[in-house]
Amino acid sequence: MRYDTITLALPKGRLLKDAVNFLIKAGIDASEVLTETRKLVFVKDNFRFILVKPMDVPTYVYYGTADIGIAGKDVIEEKGYDLYEPLNLGFGECRLSVAEPVDIKEPYDIEKLSFIRVATKYPKITDRYFRSKGIHPEIITLYGSVELAPLVGLADRIVDLVQTGTTLRENGLREVDVILYSTARLIVNRASLKTKYHIIKPIIDKMKRALSD
Ligand SMILES: Nc1ncnc2c1ncn2[C@@H]1O[C@H](COP(=O)(O)OP(=O)(O)OP(=O)(O)O)[C@@H](O)[C@H]1O
Ligand SMILES: O=P(O)(O)OC[C@H]1O[C@H](OP(=O)(O)OP(=O)(O)O)[C@H](O)[C@@H]1O
């Protein structure tokens, strides 16, 4: 590996294409990452791109196995690591919301709720949110298809991502509160920022220019 190599963690899944297109716009040729293969590591010039689960991007960056990464704000908040987050990249727009069945007997009223059983992929954010309202939630952690939980009686409510609202609508659910708005962010390992400042700072500057173009 070149002495000046920077490892960049990219999220597999729906953010990948936008992330790669953004990198290309910033002059970083990550195009090979989009080729249909099972490869998880790609090396190009002084970059090493690694493909990881979206929820794992902050972990790779925090532990320094990646110097920088691209992750949704939702995931960054859930993991809660101390990371430098210099840029909002704008894509991957969605919100993390509380939702409930449209025909629920006691519609959501935060003043009146004493107990809540909620299914989510975001247990930490969910716990923090309800505790800040004086409610100790029972949280059931799921890893996908969260909208199914109220339909089959696993939970009264869910906390999940909403973009168009189609998934909620098609499953008889309605959004009752927004916990956070999310977009993709650039995250940087704090030690790398110091030790590789001369390489990382120009990368951030190129990305900033790409965002303002
Ligand atoms: N419907 C959506 N619209 C826009 N952005 C979204 C949407 N759903 C998720 N995102 C953003 O994209 C990120 C990755 O979502 P994605 O669905 O690819 O991963 P995941 O469901 O966490 O992963 P996996 O399916 O591999 O378990 C989320 O953390 C969020 O920031
Ligand atoms: O408001 P919408 O536009 O319908 O988008 C929201 C859906 O998108 C995401 O699911 P994803 O496709 O990642 O599947 P998942 O349930 O496996 O997480 C999210 O978890 C919601 O289910």
Side-chain angles (χ1 to χ4, degrees):
M1 235 181 353
R2 285 169 53 162
Y3 75 94
D4 59 349
T5 295
I6 290 293
T7 300
L8 202 162
L10 289 169
K12 291 202 262 183
R14 72 169 74 226
L15 292 181
L16 186 63
K17 204 160 167 246
D18 284 345
V20 168
N21 287 337
F22 168 71
L23 292 175
I24 292 170
K25 196 169 171 210
I28 298 167
D29 183 8
S31 53
E32 203 194 334
V33 170
L34 293 181
T35 51
E36 296 276 318
T37 78
R38 297 288 301 160
K39 268 175 67 171
L40 299 170
V41 183
F42 297 85
V43 176
K44 178 77 183 175
D45 306 324
N46 66 321
F47 283 95
R48 182 166 67 143
F49 304 103
I50 58 173
L51 287 185
V52 308
K53 278 270 182 191
M55 199 60 102
D56 293 336
V57 172
T59 309
Y60 280 87
V61 176
Y62 177 72
Y63 285 97
T65 38
D67 301 294
I68 59 185
I70 292 178
K73 184 67 179 171
D74 52 326
V75 158
I76 298 168
E77 283 293 310
E78 177 64 19
K79 300 312 279 188
Y81 292 126
D82 179 25
L83 298 163
Y84 177 50
E85 188 193 306
L87 296 177
N88 181 347
L89 306 179
F91 56 84
E93 218 174 300
C94 55
R95 52 197 189 272
L96 187 67
S97 295
V98 184
E100 67 183 11
V102 289
D103 58 0
I104 196 166
K105 278 206 190 82
E106 289 175 59
Y108 191 77
D109 180 346
I110 201 76
E111 303 298 322
K112 291 194 191 138
L113 270 182
S114 54
F115 174 79
I116 185 164
R117 186 169 178 176
V118 53
T120 187
K121 227 172 163 175
Y122 300 83
K124 287 193 191 143
I125 297 176
T126 300
D127 190 59
R128 201 186 317 138
Y129 167 80
F130 283 110
R131 278 171 191 268
S132 77
K133 311 261 180 213
I135 298 160
H136 287 227
E138 181 181 348
I139 295 174
I140 299 174
T141 304
L142 296 175
Y143 296 97
S145 299
V146 176
E147 291 86 354
L148 179 65
L151 306 187
V152 296
L154 184 62
D156 325 310
R157 295 182 173 84
I158 62 166
V159 166
D160 198 21
L161 296 176
V162 182
Q163 209 249 336
T164 60
T166 307
T167 312
L168 290 184
R169 230 174 6 258
E170 294 193 356
N171 291 290
L173 303 170
R174 70 170 164 237
E175 194 174 3
V176 290
D177 201 5
V178 177
I179 300 179
L180 71 84
Y181 289 92
S182 178
T183 46
R185 310 293 165 101
L186 180 73
I187 51 176
V188 182
N189 173 277
R190 289 195 182 276
S192 298
L193 183 66
K194 287 192 188 131
T195 57
K196 300 181 181 175
Y197 187 79
H198 59 295
I199 311 171
I200 292 177
K201 174 72 166 53
I203 294 171
I204 297 174
D205 289 344
K206 282 203 284 185
M207 290 182 175
K208 250 187 219 159
R209 281 196 294 277
L211 285 175
S212 58
D213 277 351

